[in-house]
């Protein structure tokens, strides 16, 4: 079956795209906020699979570690700590649903139209880079070492700031 | 219209990733505009940041073959900033909840006149 193996990348892409977009729709559409957080984790996993399809293995692993492992758990903790009726179905939308829906739909359709009409469908993928983690590590340590250090400083500031803001009573 | 040719739809290229990222961004935009709960708005912002990351990785793979994984380095920084944003944002949400027992965005009107 030559045809099937030829279309295998397309099948994988559409499968993961449907998972990503479907669970993203669940994130913005469901009424139970805990379910929203679980579907957010599913969206992050779908995005990680898309990174794998793009041959960005290191980014996919980082995505799973940070987004699925840390950010989702952080959001779940915040939900548990801040909801009076956690896990109940309550109306979560404000009165701007219809204009916001048309705005988002216009954005998606406009972007798709622009993207499909330009030169990007003629772009060819570059040759597969072996060991993307190795070259990312080299780039972080050699040409981008100052942004790397500033990122660590930003993380430290965010850590201290989050603790100070969320502390119960500050004298 | 070359984009509607079935051959184009079945050979995955840069266009497909860009359209997927645009869809994810649009969904996140809708969520950030519509939801009343501050935590869900933060979740929608995370969706939009993920869409931007998909764009960066896709452009890095398809458009700058001589630079190595330059876009992936940018994605590392974006994920760092997004994690810091999530931590500080959720801390602010908890502080607001402690102040007025609600995280509904239409009830947070302390600074409105």
């Amino acid at each position: 079956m030559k045809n099937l193996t030829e279309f295998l990348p397309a099948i994988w892409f559409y499968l993961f795209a449907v998972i990503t977009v479907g669970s993203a729709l669940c994130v913005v559409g469901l009424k139970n906020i805990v379910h929203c957080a679980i579907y957010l984790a599913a969206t992050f996993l779908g995005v990680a699979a898309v990174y794998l399809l793009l041959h960005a293995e290191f980014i996919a692993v980082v995505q799973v570690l940070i987004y699925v492992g840390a950010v989702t758990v952080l959001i779940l903790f915040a939900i548990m700590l801040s909801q009076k009726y956690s896990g109940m179905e309550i109306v979560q939308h404000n009165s701007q649903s219809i204009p916001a829906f048309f705005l988002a739909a216009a954005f998606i359709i406009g972007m798709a139209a622009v993207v499909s009409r330009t030169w990007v469908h003629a772009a060819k993928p570059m040759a597969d880079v072996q060991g993307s983690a190795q070259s990312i590590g080299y780039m972080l340590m050699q040409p981008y070492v100052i942004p790397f250090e500033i990122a660590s400083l930003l993380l430290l500031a965010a850590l201290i700031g989050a603790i100070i803001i969320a502390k119960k009573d500050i004298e | 219209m070359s984009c509607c040719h079935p051959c184009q739809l079945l050979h995955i290229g840069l266009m497909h990733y860009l359209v997927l990222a645009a869809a994810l961004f649009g969904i996140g935009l809708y969520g950030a505009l519509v939801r009343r709960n501050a935590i869900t708005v933060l979740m929608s912002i995370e969706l939009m940041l993920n869409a931007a990351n998909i764009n960066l990785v896709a452009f890095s793979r398809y458009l700058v073959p001589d630079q190595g994984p330059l876009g992936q380095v940018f994605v590392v920084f974006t994920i760092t900033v997004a994690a810091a944003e999530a931590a500080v944002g959720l801390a602010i949400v908890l502080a607001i909840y402690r102040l007025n027992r609600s995280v509904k965005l239409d009830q947070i009107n302390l600074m409105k006149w």
Side-chain angles (χ1 to χ4, degrees):
Chain A
M1 284 299 285
K2 172 180 169 291
N3 277 333
L4 204 61
T5 51
E6 193 182 351
F7 294 144
L8 209 54
I11 294 170
W12 283 122
F13 174 80
Y14 284 117
L15 175 69
F16 292 131
V18 165
I19 289 175
T20 306
V21 172
S23 39
L25 282 174
C26 288
V27 170
V28 299
L30 287 185
K31 284 184 173 178
N32 188 334
I33 189 171
V34 181
H35 295 176
C36 291
I38 303 295
Y39 276 109
L40 186 71
T43 312
F44 289 155
L45 282 175
V47 173
V50 171
Y51 290 154
L52 280 182
L53 291 181
L54 281 165
H55 293 265
E57 293 89 2
F58 179 72
I59 299 298
V61 173
V62 165
Q63 168 93 5
V64 172
L65 275 179
I66 294 181
Y67 274 117
V68 185
V71 172
T72 310
V73 173
L74 198 65
I75 285 174
L76 277 173
F77 266 112
I79 290 172
M80 300 301 169
L81 287 175
S82 75
Q83 306 291 315
K84 251 180 285 186
Y85 311 106
S86 155
M88 283 179 62
E89 306 211 337
I90 40 180
V91 176
Q92 300 271 9
H93 294 73
N94 60 19
S95 56
Q96 309 291 321
S97 291
I98 293 167
F101 173 77
F102 281 115
L103 181 67
F107 175 80
I108 294 172
I109 293 170
M111 282 297 284
V114 167
V115 161
S116 61
R117 264 161 228 266
T118 46
W119 41 266
V120 293
H121 60 264
K124 292 277 175 284
M126 66 179 189
D128 298 341
V129 184
Q130 290 304 312
S132 71
Q134 184 185 3
S135 40
I136 287 175
Y138 176 79
M139 290 174 93
L140 281 180
M141 277 299 131
Q142 284 294 328
Y144 294 100
V145 62
I146 292 176
F148 185 68
E149 295 296 330
I150 292 175
S152 70
L153 202 64
L154 172 74
L155 279 181
L156 180 68
L159 178 72
I160 297 173
I163 291 173
I164 295 291
I165 291 171
K167 223 166 70 170
K168 192 150 274 178
D169 44 1
I170 305 165
E171 280 88 351
Chain B
M1 261 314 274
S2 65
C3 70
C4 295
H5 199 265
C7 204
Q8 288 281 333
L9 283 179
L10 283 173
H11 285 101
I12 301 302
L14 178 57
M15 184 186 83
H16 295 77
Y17 293 104
L18 295 188
V19 172
L20 171 66
L24 205 56
F25 190 93
I27 293 169
L29 180 67
Y30 173 76
L33 287 176
V34 153
R35 301 293 290 213
R36 292 169 73 207
N37 197 313
I39 296 177
T40 333
V41 172
L42 281 175
M43 289 190 217
S44 305
I45 292 172
E46 297 292 335
L47 287 183
M48 291 195 273
L49 285 166
N50 268 283
N53 287 348
I54 291 177
N55 268 352
L56 284 172
V57 175
F59 276 126
S60 162
R61 175 158 166 74
Y62 281 90
L63 288 191
V64 281
D66 53 338
Q67 303 260 357
L70 182 60
Q72 301 184 23
V73 175
F74 271 81
V75 171
V76 170
F77 290 126
T78 316
I79 288 177
T80 310
V81 175
E85 173 258 336
V88 176
L90 291 171
I92 291 172
V93 167
L94 287 188
I96 288 173
Y97 177 72
R98 201 168 292 131
L99 192 66
N100 57 5
R101 292 281 138 206
S102 168
V103 291
K104 295 225 174 68
L105 284 176
D106 42 4
Q107 292 172 7
I108 302 171
N109 49 10
L110 193 64
M111 296 177 76
K112 273 188 193 168
W113 54 280

